[in-house]
Amino acid sequence: GENVEQHPSTLSVQEGDSAVIKCTYSDSASNYFPWYKQELGKGPQLIIDIRSNVGEKKDQRIAVTLNKTAKHFSLHITETQPEDSAVYFCAASIGRGSARQLTFGSGTQLTVLP
Amino acid sequence: KAGVTQTPRYLIKTRGQQVTLSCSPISGHRSVSWYQQTPGQGLQFLFEYFSETQRNKGNFPGRFSGRQFSNSRSEMNVSTLELGDSALYLCASSPAGTEEKLFFGSGTQLSVL
C-alpha cells in the first residue's frame, strides 16, 4: 500500500518568516495530495490540495508544489503568523471521487514565534 | 451550515467492553469516513460509507465495524475493547462529486482502562 513520509516532525520559525514542510510518497499511482491543519482540540481542516496533473497551486500565503518524478510534494507558508501554529498533515490517495482513502503523513508541529 | 458533529466528545471504557460512537455529517454530504488518530500511528483510515453501503475498509480487525443510516448519519462500534484502542476517533464527511475533500469533526476521545 501507499506510504507517506513527512519531514520535519517539528518546525519553529519567527513570525514573518517562511515555513516549508516536505512529504514523499511511495505509490506512483497516487494522484491526489491534500494538506490538513489540525489545531489543539479540533479535527484536521483541509487547507489546500493538488492533483497529479498540476505542478503547483497557490492560495494567498499558502502554496503546494508537486514533483511526480521524485514522488514528493511540499507545503510552503509565507509571512507566517502566530495563528499558523498547529500540526500540519500531508496525505496521498489513489483514485478519484468514490472509494478514495487517504494515507496521511506523521505530521509536523509548526510553532510560529512572535 | 453546521459542521460535522461527533458524540460523545470523551468516553472512558474498560477492557472487554464495547462502545458506539456517533457522527452527523454536514447537511447534504452523503459520504462518511472514519479515521483513528494516535500519537504512535498517526491518522489511519478505518472505513468509508456512502448511501448506507461500506465502500472501502482499512486494515483494522473485525472488532471495528460501522454503519450508515438513510439520513447519512453514521455510527462506528468497537467490540471487546483493548488498551490499544485508546485513540481519537475522527469522522469526516464529503460532498457528492468531491468525495476526496474531507471535512472532519472534532472527534471522540476514547480512553480504555
Side-chain angles (χ1 to χ4, degrees):
Chain A
E2 174 66 279
N3 182 51
V4 177
E5 293 191 357
Q6 182 172 347
H7 300 281
S9 58
T10 61
L11 179 61
S12 293
V13 299
Q14 290 294 136
E15 183 177 357
D17 287 349
S18 296
V20 180
I21 303 170
K22 299 181 179 181
C23 289
T24 59
Y25 59 99
S26 61
D27 195 329
S28 56
S30 289
N31 58 10
Y32 176 68
F33 308 91
W35 286 88
Y36 285 83
K37 174 184 180 182
Q38 187 173 25
E39 297 174 322
L40 200 60
K42 297 183 179 180
Q45 176 189 5
L46 178 66
I47 56 173
I48 195 167
D49 57 6
I50 192 169
R51 299 187 187 279
S52 59
N53 59 348
V54 176
E56 183 174 358
K57 184 176 180 181
K58 188 174 182 180
D59 183 3
Q60 299 183 335
R61 296 185 298 108
I62 295 173
V64 57
T65 58
L66 171 65
N67 183 326
K68 286 190 295 182
T69 303
K71 290 191 284 187
H72 67 70
F73 56 112
S74 300
L75 177 71
H76 305 254
I77 305 174
T78 59
E79 301 173 18
T80 53
Q81 301 167 3
E83 52 264 38
D84 294 330
S85 294
V87 179
Y88 290 81
F89 292 95
C90 62
S93 72
I94 301 170
R96 185 173 182 83
S98 64
R100 179 184 292 273
Q101 74 177 67
L102 293 176
T103 300
F104 283 86
S106 54
T108 296
Q109 173 69 63
L110 174 64
T111 302
V112 179
L113 305 169
Chain B
K1 190 181 266 190
V4 176
T5 304
Q6 292 188 247
T7 57
R9 186 72 179 90
Y10 302 95
L11 206 49
I12 299 175
K13 292 287 187 178
T14 56
R15 280 181 301 173
Q17 288 187 308
Q18 68 94 25
V19 66
T20 299
L21 312 181
S22 180
C23 172
S24 293
I26 293 172
S27 178
H29 288 192
R30 294 168 62 190
S31 172
V32 173
S33 301
W34 289 87
Y35 284 79
Q36 182 196 66
Q37 185 174 27
T38 60
Q41 298 298 317
L43 281 151
Q44 292 186 290
F45 173 77
L46 281 157
F47 27 66
E48 183 211 1
Y49 287 87
F50 181 83
S51 292
E52 303 178 66
T53 300
Q54 187 181 89
R55 322 201 264 202
N56 206 357
K57 189 177 190 301
N59 296 322
F60 278 82
R63 300 185 297 107
F64 292 82
S65 62
R67 59 177 176 169
Q68 186 180 34
F69 302 95
S70 59
N71 61 358
S72 296
R73 192 177 68 85
S74 177
E75 290 181 346
M76 69 162 283
N77 184 78
V78 188
S79 62
T80 320
L81 284 167
E82 300 177 0
L83 296 179
D85 296 334
S86 295
L88 179 67
Y89 290 88
L90 292 160
C91 168
S93 71
S94 305
T98 56
E99 281 89 358
E100 65 271 16
K101 294 186 184 292
L102 302 180
F103 293 81
F104 283 91
S106 294
T108 293
Q109 182 66 55
L110 172 64
S111 297
V112 182
L113 307 178

